[in-house]
Amino acid sequence: MRPESSPSGRKRNPIIEEARRRQIVDAAIETVAEVGYAQASLARIAQRAQTSKSVVSYHFAGKDELLEQVVTQIYADSWAFIEPRLAAQSSAAGKLAAYIESNIAYMHARRAHLLAVVAVVGNHRSADGRLRFEPSADESVLTLLGEILRTGQRDGEFRDFDPRLVAVTVSQAIIGVLGAWVADPTVDPTSYAAELVTLFDRATRSQGD
């Protein structure tokens, strides 16, 4: 359990504590993006956050917990960006397009977030040596895409196909675009997103459309 007092000896204020945790997570994102996973020490992160290593250790049990929070926070923030854009669409085709565009748009506006999540997901391991995070699409993503695709089939918007297969293909295509941008910053993710929307619209639409 954390003590009732902060490292400064003052009684804990939940609002201030949460703001400080977010500041440290943001500093960790920037640090990992700049120096990589292996070199992102707590001391470096504390320096970027303009605080002490002891303050970082007060809020997080160690580097493992902090970097896990980096991924959790980026995923949560990206979903907060994507969800309302999906909800604004009334058709399955619109939701599929919005999913593709908003995923890429979120990371395009936050390159450090993308670099950090790629680094942590690709390197962070649990005590048994296994990767802590699934490097490919996780099941929640495939479930969401599958629901959109099945709804489109049920409503006659989409042709008959295997929703799971197409969900995996959409997810991997998005990962591919973002990976290309990581490798080459001159790539235009917005143009790639538009091409993906057109590609999957033509691939999924009902034969009568």
Side-chain angles (χ1 to χ4, degrees):
M1 294 179 63
R2 289 198 182 98
E4 286 298 315
S5 298
S6 69
S8 65
R10 298 173 182 169
K11 192 170 181 63
R12 295 173 58 194
N13 182 314
I15 296 174
I16 295 175
E17 296 259 310
E18 184 56 36
R20 178 54 62 90
R21 280 176 62 87
R22 183 59 191 252
Q23 178 191 15
I24 293 168
V25 170
D26 288 344
I29 290 170
E30 296 292 336
T31 302
V32 174
E34 180 181 342
V35 304
Y37 176 86
Q39 299 301 316
S41 64
L42 289 184
R44 282 181 182 265
I45 293 168
Q47 183 179 27
R48 184 174 287 271
Q50 297 183 324
T51 190
S52 66
K53 184 178 175 181
S54 65
V55 170
V56 175
S57 297
Y58 167 76
H59 289 282
F60 298 94
K63 179 178 174 179
D64 285 353
E65 183 186 357
L66 175 53
L67 294 186
E68 287 175 11
Q69 184 59 36
V70 162
V71 175
T72 299
Q73 190 66 62
I74 291 173
Y75 285 172
D77 288 351
S78 65
W79 178 241
F81 181 87
I82 294 164
E83 185 178 27
R85 288 159 176 78
L86 292 181
Q89 300 296 322
S90 59
S91 68
K95 289 182 184 296
L96 181 58
Y99 183 83
I100 294 169
E101 291 170 339
S102 58
N103 264 274
I104 293 173
Y106 174 82
M107 289 301 184
H108 188 198
R110 301 163 181 82
R111 184 173 175 83
H113 288 58
L114 177 58
L115 294 176
V117 80
V118 167
V120 177
V121 168
N123 291 281
H124 194 56
R125 296 180 182 275
S126 54
D128 61 6
R130 296 181 181 181
L131 287 173
R132 172 66 178 79
F133 298 98
E134 178 58 48
S136 58
D138 68 34
E139 197 60 36
S140 64
V141 168
L142 299 180
T143 298
L144 172 64
L145 285 169
E147 290 174 354
I148 292 172
L149 295 167
R150 281 188 290 273
T151 298
Q153 289 177 323
R154 185 192 64 216
D155 295 346
E157 292 182 60
F158 295 157
R159 65 177 178 81
D160 184 37
F161 53 74
D162 181 345
R164 174 79 180 190
L165 186 153
V166 175
V168 170
T169 305
V170 171
S171 177
Q172 291 300 313
I174 293 170
I175 291 171
V177 167
L178 296 174
W181 186 48
V182 167
D184 180 4
T186 67
V187 164
D188 179 8
T190 302
S191 296
Y192 277 42
E195 288 295 340
L196 287 188
V197 168
T198 299
L199 175 67
F200 284 108
D201 176 60
R202 293 179 177 177
T204 58
R205 71 174 58 171
S206 173
Q207 297 298 326
D209 293 341

